[in-house]
Amino acid sequence: MHNLKYTPAVEKETEEIYHRVQNVITPARWQSMAPLIVEINRLKREKNAVILAHNYQTPDIFYGVADIVGDSLKLAQEATKTTADIIVQAGVYFMAETAKILNPQKTVLIPDPLAGCSLASSITPDDVALMRSKYPGATVVSYVNTSAAVKAVSDVCVTSGNAEKIVEAIESDEIIFLPDQYLAHYVATKTTKKIYAWKGACEVHELFTGKYVDELRAEHKNIVVLAHPECPPDVLEASDYIGSTAQMQTYIEQKQPARVVLITECSMSDNLFAANPNLEFIRPCQLCPHMKRIDLEKILHSLETMTHEVLIDPDIITAARRPIDRMLELS
Ligand code: SF4
């Protein structure tokens, strides 16, 4: 536990950041966060480090210490451009692996190596081999929410934002789509290609139901419902718009719906509400327990001690890079 103090100097240095998050973080909570933010930002400069933060990270991380924020696709794209020596991934383990695959010569740190993902842990390379033997000739399309080892035996990666486009762009008419059964189902509704899905699911998005969306509509009049394609089909049917976190953000920035609900992890709403205080966000809260393993204390500890370094077998890096590069080319 760090014993950093909220001094007038810290208050002044974080004044601008607090201005951006004041509608989602109370002054009392800010006093415990601001000294950590100052120290993390100082260490980043000293060590030439950058922090990549996923849209599901809390506003103190998202606005306070992150250098690059976004969905998995944006983090992957930006990770290839950084000139920093050290990348700290404020996200889950497969994202840190992706950063390492794209930057094998850099040091990639994850503040908590137990930050996993129910999708990534639902499938192994042996399972992919099994699918290939069952559907010979089909192209293996892997969601980025997979381990480096699974990417290494895949043909192309996708994110929730580009899955539709990439499935259409590849030559094969038969697709093994893994590991998210719901994203696979959603993509199958958008293409004439044959999709063979793995049965994984996001433990956060699968909790939502179409009935719950109906109840929200009954309780809050005139809401616009945006849902993530990792949600089950009845949720998507009950929603007004389906998109990745980046696509939800664009929708909100461009359309400015007066009352909106995001059917996804709850920090996403906090981060968008901080940037759009004029809109009313109905915030049903489903936390991702893996994303929430990352906090300011652990990020600081990670930078101080250079832990936990993400290490991947060089052969796996080479093999896993191919489907990611293919995705980046096609998107
Ligand atoms: S929200 Fe779902 S898909 Fe994203 S990291 Fe958590 S468990 Fe995985």
Side-chain angles (χ1 to χ4, degrees):
M1 194 72 180
H2 291 91
N3 193 22
L4 299 163
K5 297 268 186 291
Y6 187 67
T7 62
V10 168
E11 183 181 2
K12 190 160 175 33
E13 195 173 329
T14 56
E15 209 171 19
E16 226 173 272
I17 304 170
Y18 188 59
H19 186 69
R20 300 184 73 187
V21 296
Q22 61 189 350
N23 55 347
V24 286
I25 301 177
T26 63
R29 282 184 63 222
W30 187 249
Q31 291 195 13
S32 64
M33 293 169 168
L36 293 163
I37 288 171
V38 167
E39 188 56 12
I40 289 168
N41 287 333
R42 186 190 69 74
L43 272 175
K44 276 194 322 192
R45 290 190 294 273
E46 187 183 297
K47 299 195 172 191
N48 190 26
V50 287
I51 296 180
L52 310 186
H54 188 263
N55 287 329
Y56 295 159
Q57 290 298 311
T58 49
D60 50 322
I61 295 172
F62 193 87
Y63 290 104
V65 298
D67 301 283
I68 299 163
V69 293
D71 63 353
S72 307
L73 176 61
K74 182 164 175 211
L75 296 183
Q77 285 169 325
E78 296 298 322
T80 62
K81 298 180 195 156
T82 180
T83 56
D85 299 315
I86 300 163
I87 295 172
V88 181
Q89 177 69 60
V92 294
Y93 201 81
F94 77 80
M95 295 177 179
E97 282 192 328
T98 305
K100 182 67 182 177
I101 292 164
L102 294 170
N103 296 275
Q105 64 294 73
K106 294 187 196 295
T107 301
V108 176
L109 304 175
I110 182 145
D112 187 330
L114 296 179
C117 168
S118 64
L119 280 170
S121 63
S122 73
I123 189 155
T124 66
D126 285 348
D127 296 328
V128 180
L130 190 74
M131 291 290 272
R132 280 197 194 271
S133 66
K134 205 167 164 193
Y135 305 110
T139 297
V140 175
V141 174
S142 289
Y143 194 19
V144 283
N145 297 38
T146 45
S147 66
V150 165
K151 289 183 177 79
V153 293
S154 301
D155 297 315
V156 60
C157 287
V158 294
T159 67
S160 52
N162 62 25
E164 243 179 275
K165 185 176 167 187
I166 288 178
V167 163
E168 281 306 317
I170 54 185
E171 281 175 15
S172 173
D173 283 335
E174 287 190 77
I175 310 285
I176 295 167
F177 193 103
L178 51 93
D180 186 0
Q181 59 182 306
Y182 297 127
L183 182 58
H185 183 276
Y186 174 66
V187 171
T189 66
K190 303 282 176 186
T191 180
T192 53
K193 297 189 179 189
K194 183 78 189 150
I195 307 276
Y196 307 111
W198 187 249
K199 288 281 177 200
C202 162
E203 68 187 83
V204 177
H205 291 96
E206 74 171 344
L207 296 177
F208 293 106
T209 62
K211 184 169 170 281
Y212 177 68
V213 174
D214 293 342
E215 285 164 7
L216 281 173
R217 287 196 195 277
E219 198 180 330
H220 307 278
K221 295 296 168 211
N222 303 320
I223 51 169
V224 176
V225 180
L226 315 189
H228 194 281
E230 286 171 16
C231 293
D234 60 332
V235 175
L236 303 187
E237 275 159 28
S239 302
D240 300 304
Y241 177 79
I242 299 159
S244 66
T245 55
Q247 288 164 335
M248 287 184 190
Q249 179 178 358
T250 304
Y251 183 103
I252 283 169
E253 283 165 0
Q254 291 178 352
K255 303 215 180 231
Q256 293 280 292
R259 300 185 97 190
V260 61
V261 58
L262 307 183
I263 306 296
T264 190
E265 211 272 355
C266 50
S267 288
M268 177 78 194
S269 299
D270 292 342
N271 291 328
L272 283 176
F273 181 45
N276 298 273
N278 53 317
L279 308 182
E280 185 186 351
F281 284 78
I282 314 298
R283 285 181 277 177
C285 198
Q286 294 293 1
L287 285 170
C288 172
H290 309 290
M291 288 281 179
K292 267 42 199 185
R293 293 188 83 97
I294 309 295
D295 60 22
L296 290 172
E297 284 274 358
K298 286 184 188 168
I299 292 173
L300 179 53
H301 186 257
S302 177
L303 275 168
E304 283 172 338
T305 59
M306 296 295 288
T307 54
H308 301 269
E309 185 169 0
V310 176
L311 298 170
I312 308 174
D313 181 309
D315 291 342
I316 299 274
I317 290 187
T318 307
R321 173 98 197 206
R322 255 179 281 123
I324 298 174
D325 280 346
R326 194 150 177 230
M327 169 184 79
L328 295 175
E329 281 158 30
L330 292 171
S331 60

